[in-house]
């Protein structure tokens, strides 16, 4: 399935457009996956970084009290940190902190996938372009175009993380579990 989804993204002239269409089609099924381990297995094994970005973006947009119209960028990811609620409906008696832990796990996965699509590897940095255009961009050694919201600084990150910590303390009313602190450090 993951290979087929990856090919479906790549065969279109606009991988960005096809990943949006595929993500829209898959998203309702993601919401109905009952176990965290199954959701994580699906998202972690996804071959297309671009499709993973789109799915995670939809997941966070769905969980925001006030959805944003910003394009996917580091600023939007920080927005998700401070405006997302617990992501998914749980059928079992999962502790609240574990729900927030899952949200932070997916936010970190979104950051890593976004970096792979935009910033990281020479062959991956033009994933939003078609295969033909991608080869030309690589030969020309063209730098990927960053979004306006990719220009964030350490102060922006610290403020959003502190806001998140305050929100979590209000919700949990107890000391943070170690797993939450580890996820915040990883995200930072």
């Amino acid at each position: 399935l993951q290979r087929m989804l990856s090919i479906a993204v790549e065969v279109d002239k606009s991988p960005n457009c096809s990943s949006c269409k595929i993500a829209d089609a898959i998203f309702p099924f993601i919401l109905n996956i009952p176990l965290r381990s199954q959701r994580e297995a699906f998202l972690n094994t996804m071959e297309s970084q671009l499709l993973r970005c789109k799915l995670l973006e939809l997941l966070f947009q769905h969980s925001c009290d006030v959805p944003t119209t910003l394009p996917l960028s580091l600023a939007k990811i920080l927005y998700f940190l401070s405006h997302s609620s617990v992501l998914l409906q749980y059928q079992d008696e999962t502790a609240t902190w574990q729900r927030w832990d899952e949200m932070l796990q997916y936010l970190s996965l979104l950051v890593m996938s976004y970096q792979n699509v935009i910033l990281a590897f020479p062959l991956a940095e033009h994933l939003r372009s078609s295969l033909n255009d991608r080869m030309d961009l690589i030969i020309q050694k063209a730098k990927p175009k960053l979004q306006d919201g990719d220009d964030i600084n350490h102060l922006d990150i610290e403020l959003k993380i502190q806001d998140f910590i305050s929100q979590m303390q209000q919700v949990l009313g107890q000391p943070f579990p170690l797993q939450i602190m580890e996820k915040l450090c990883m995200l930072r």
Side-chain angles (χ1 to χ4, degrees):
L1 173 65
Q2 296 294 8
R3 186 71 190 134
M4 288 170 47
L5 291 172
S6 180
I7 291 170
V9 168
E10 293 295 332
V11 295
D12 197 272
K13 277 191 97 141
S14 172
N16 204 36
C17 183
S18 62
S19 63
C20 287
K21 290 176 189 175
I22 294 168
D24 286 340
I26 293 174
F27 181 66
F29 298 104
I30 298 280
L31 290 178
N32 290 316
I33 296 175
L35 298 175
R36 176 180 179 175
S37 60
Q38 293 171 332
R39 286 187 292 272
E40 285 182 359
F42 180 75
L43 291 168
N44 287 331
T45 60
M46 191 160 278
E47 288 185 22
S48 172
Q49 297 288 329
L50 185 58
L51 182 57
R52 182 184 306 160
C53 278
K54 297 296 181 180
L55 276 172
L56 289 168
E57 181 182 11
L58 283 174
L59 198 59
F60 281 104
Q61 281 285 82
H62 177 74
S63 74
C64 280
D65 301 329
V66 180
T68 178
T69 58
L70 292 170
L72 186 58
S73 63
L74 295 175
K76 187 172 189 174
I77 293 170
L78 283 178
Y79 179 88
F80 289 151
L81 178 64
S82 58
H83 290 88
S84 291
S85 59
V86 174
L87 286 175
L88 302 164
Q89 297 299 319
Y90 286 78
Q91 319 234 328
D92 56 359
E93 296 297 320
T94 303
T96 303
W97 75 265
Q98 290 174 316
R99 297 175 186 191
W100 287 99
D101 182 65
E102 182 178 9
M103 190 268 298
L104 288 172
Q105 177 71 29
Y106 294 155
L107 202 57
S108 295
L109 187 60
L110 178 58
V111 169
M112 289 185 294
S113 296
Y114 182 70
Q115 285 182 324
N116 285 336
V117 169
I118 302 298
L119 305 171
F121 309 105
L123 294 175
E125 63 190 6
H126 300 289
L127 286 178
R128 294 182 291 179
S129 305
S130 69
L131 282 174
N132 293 338
D133 295 342
R134 194 177 311 161
M135 292 311 294
D136 292 339
L137 291 168
I138 291 169
I139 290 168
Q140 296 169 7
K141 296 182 181 176
K143 294 286 183 193
K145 294 178 185 171
L146 299 178
Q147 301 290 333
D148 290 336
D150 286 335
D151 187 25
I152 61 172
N153 59 44
H154 291 289
L155 182 60
D156 296 332
I157 296 167
E158 285 305 314
L159 289 174
K160 293 297 183 181
I161 287 183
Q162 290 306 317
D163 288 346
F164 177 78
I165 289 172
S166 298
Q167 181 185 1
M168 284 287 299
Q169 286 174 334
Q170 288 177 356
V171 170
L172 292 178
Q174 61 189 18
F176 282 10
L178 182 60
Q179 292 92 328
I180 295 283
M181 293 311 293
E182 288 172 354
K183 295 271 185 341
L184 281 172
C185 287
M186 184 173 73
L187 186 62
R188 187 179 276 136

